[in-house]
Amino acid sequence: PQSLQNKLLTTTRMADIITSNTKPGQRRRRFFHRVIFRTLAPGLGKPFTTAPAAEQEEFLRRIQQEVLPNMGAEDLAATADTPRLRLAVARQGTAAQLAELNRQLADGPAYPSRNGELHFDLGPDLKGLVPADLRRVQDGWKLHHQLEELTGTAEGLAFTYRLESRLFDIPGLSLQPPVLELTSRGPSPVTANVAGTDLGGARWRFLCGADLLPQAPAVPVVWDARLVLDGGSRRLASGRAVYPRPEGAFEARAVILQSPGDAAPVYLEAYTTAGGNLSVRQGPQPRFTAVKIESAGDGLLELKLPKDAGAVRSTVLATPAGRAALEHTPQPDGRLTVGLPAAGTVQAAPAGAAEGAVPPFVLEIDCERAGCRLPLRLEDDVLLPLKRPAKTAPAAAAKPVPAKHPVHSSRPSGQRTGLDRLLHGLRRLRRHARRR
């Protein structure tokens, strides 16, 4: 951690180097953006507050003369709320005024609503230093969220979030119901908004199901999720929607739905990224699913569970006639053996079912931190996986390996490319090192 004196020496020396070696213009502005917003701005908080009064006065005097005159107005308006307010006060204010701003930020300032927009109420003294457009609230960190439940249902994936924001307590502010905003990855992203259902107590439920499938340009596709709260002319959003990962555990839920185009099975899988961010994968094959089928036969399914799935809570078979609990046996190596109903005891699909539709038989595996809905098919009165697992699949015929032929280059002998020259130079250095 740097002291206020460290920040002063760093920023003033960098400012001197920039002004001595660049001309006024866009290039100089980019260099000063790095100095002001990434080096100087953090020093206006705790380093400034904990420094002696004499250091505070010297610090403000120097940066007002040597650094802050190079701060662009557009750059200041585009930065986050807290550093924007501190830099606006430090530009012309006194040490006492900057200390007062830090006190208000620590205590939590008020946000009066005017014409559907929120502004910081900093009092009459600081109001003259910070224009109205710089006092406008625009940070997304005001929307806090916590996932309470992630489940797989027959209709899709269900997320239950608890939203916390001081904006809910501000009178006169009209807020629209929150939405779960899903944006596909790739060069041409598509956005799908899932409306929330109010459960009371600041709790909202979002169901991602069949209405999400037509939005994807192609499968497979990965959707990144974030929560958005619309306040009329301003939208507050979380950086990425996350859910807790106790002890760093992986968590995933998957469901199988019917594609609206060709009635083919489509998986929707919710999972956490390495940083705990929530994403949903859509595709014809399970990939991040917590449970995978290893083998099938003799009325048993051998399943592989991830190491962080936790204890198995239940195994249930969903059929057209209802739901039935199944016997399961955990294995020492992390696998799970599930017993399926005997032949002839399972009812067939109802009459009139569309050909190619999602099978009505679904195996639901629920663990402490993972779960999946795996489709099954009925063949000769026996339940089998929708797709044959790798262990029971017939061995593919070996493909002939073409004979290798010497590669003849059309490049004249003695002529080297850049890579050839680099490799040749490295070999010469190795030989020279060996001789020494």
Side-chain angles (χ1 to χ4, degrees):
Q2 289 190 322
S3 66
L4 191 64
Q5 187 66 19
N6 297 143
K7 290 291 185 182
L8 177 62
L9 291 174
T10 303
T11 53
T12 53
R13 288 172 177 174
M14 293 173 72
D16 181 63
I17 292 174
I18 295 172
T19 53
S20 300
N21 293 274
T22 62
K23 297 179 180 180
Q26 187 66 21
R27 186 164 177 259
R28 175 181 289 188
R29 176 184 170 185
R30 288 199 305 267
F31 286 139
F32 268 106
H33 187 281
R34 163 69 173 81
V35 175
I36 295 173
F37 295 97
R38 296 182 59 184
T39 303
L40 174 61
L44 301 176
K46 185 177 180 180
F48 183 87
T49 304
T50 57
E55 286 189 17
Q56 293 179 349
E57 296 287 349
E58 174 68 10
F59 175 82
L60 273 185
R61 184 184 65 82
R62 292 281 304 276
I63 65 170
Q64 288 174 353
Q65 293 177 355
E66 305 174 32
V67 182
L68 292 182
N70 297 281
M71 180 172 58
E74 295 181 1
D75 296 334
L76 179 61
T79 194
D81 286 345
T82 298
R84 184 178 70 252
L85 296 176
R86 286 172 174 163
L87 287 168
V89 171
R91 182 171 48 182
Q92 296 178 336
T94 63
Q97 290 173 323
L98 183 56
E100 171 62 18
L101 173 65
N102 285 328
R103 184 194 65 78
Q104 292 189 28
L105 294 176
D107 295 342
Y111 308 103
S113 174
R114 297 177 182 174
N115 300 325
E117 290 192 349
L118 302 177
H119 290 77
F120 287 93
D121 185 6
L122 305 178
D125 187 26
L126 299 179
K127 185 177 180 180
L129 296 173
V130 186
D133 59 329
L134 298 182
R135 285 187 279 112
R136 188 174 57 186
V137 177
Q138 60 186 24
D139 274 358
W141 57 263
K142 302 279 186 307
L143 180 60
H144 301 280
H145 60 283
Q146 179 181 359
L147 182 86
E148 292 191 342
E149 189 178 24
L150 168 58
T151 58
T153 69
E155 293 79 21
L157 296 167
F159 309 91
T160 301
Y161 277 95
R162 180 181 296 275
L163 302 181
E164 300 175 359
S165 175
R166 286 173 286 185
L167 303 179
F168 294 119
D169 302 327
I170 299 176
L173 180 64
S174 177
L175 294 175
Q176 302 297 322
V179 299
L180 186 67
E181 187 179 86
L182 297 139
T183 304
S184 62
R185 298 180 188 175
S188 301
V190 177
T191 300
N193 292 326
V194 179
T197 301
D198 190 2
L199 302 180
R203 298 171 65 249
W204 295 81
R205 185 175 185 266
F206 304 89
L207 179 62
C208 300
D211 56 339
L212 181 64
L213 304 186
Q215 306 296 331
V219 292
V221 64
V222 177
W223 304 87
D224 292 325
R226 69 171 183 165
L227 289 163
V228 176
L229 184 66
D230 196 339
S233 60
R234 187 157 302 279
R235 300 169 74 245
L236 301 181
S238 62
R240 282 281 294 277
V242 300
Y243 55 77
R245 294 161 54 95
E247 301 177 0
F250 171 84
E251 187 169 354
R253 293 291 188 274
V255 296
I256 179 98
L257 299 174
Q258 181 175 331
S259 172
D262 53 6
V266 178
Y267 285 86
L268 283 182
E269 302 172 275
Y271 66 97
T272 53
T273 62
N277 294 323
L278 176 63
S279 295
V280 177
R281 182 183 183 274
Q282 172 185 333
Q285 299 278 353
R287 182 177 177 183
F288 302 110
T289 314
V291 180
K292 289 182 171 50
I293 299 177
E294 290 284 303
S295 63
D298 299 328
L300 296 176
L301 283 181
E302 190 82 11
L303 306 175
K304 183 179 180 181
L305 305 178
K307 62 180 181 179
D308 295 325
V312 179
R313 292 173 175 170
S314 64
T315 55
V316 176
L317 178 65
T319 71
R323 296 162 55 86
L326 301 178
E327 295 291 336
H328 61 271
T329 305
Q331 304 296 335
D333 57 357
R335 287 175 170 80
L336 181 71
T337 302
V338 178
L340 296 177
T345 61
V346 182
Q347 296 182 6
E355 182 179 356
V358 175
F361 306 105
V362 178
L363 176 63
E364 300 178 356
I365 308 294
D366 184 33
C367 303
E368 287 180 331
R369 293 183 294 273
C372 183
R373 293 167 51 87
L374 298 173
L376 303 176
R377 58 189 172 92
L378 187 63
E379 184 175 309
D380 297 331
D381 293 333
V382 177
L383 284 175
L384 296 173
L386 183 63
K387 292 188 177 295
R388 189 178 297 273
K391 285 189 176 181
T392 59
K399 295 182 179 180
V401 180
K404 293 184 178 180
H405 299 281
V407 178
H408 300 282
S409 174
S410 60
R411 189 172 61 248
S413 60
Q415 181 178 347
R416 295 189 176 95
T417 64
L419 180 60
D420 292 334
R421 289 193 296 270
L422 175 62
L423 295 176
H424 179 69
L426 292 175
R427 286 192 290 268
R428 289 186 58 188
L429 289 175
R430 175 185 286 183
R431 291 195 297 269
H432 179 68
R434 287 176 179 174
R435 287 196 297 267
R436 294 186 63 183

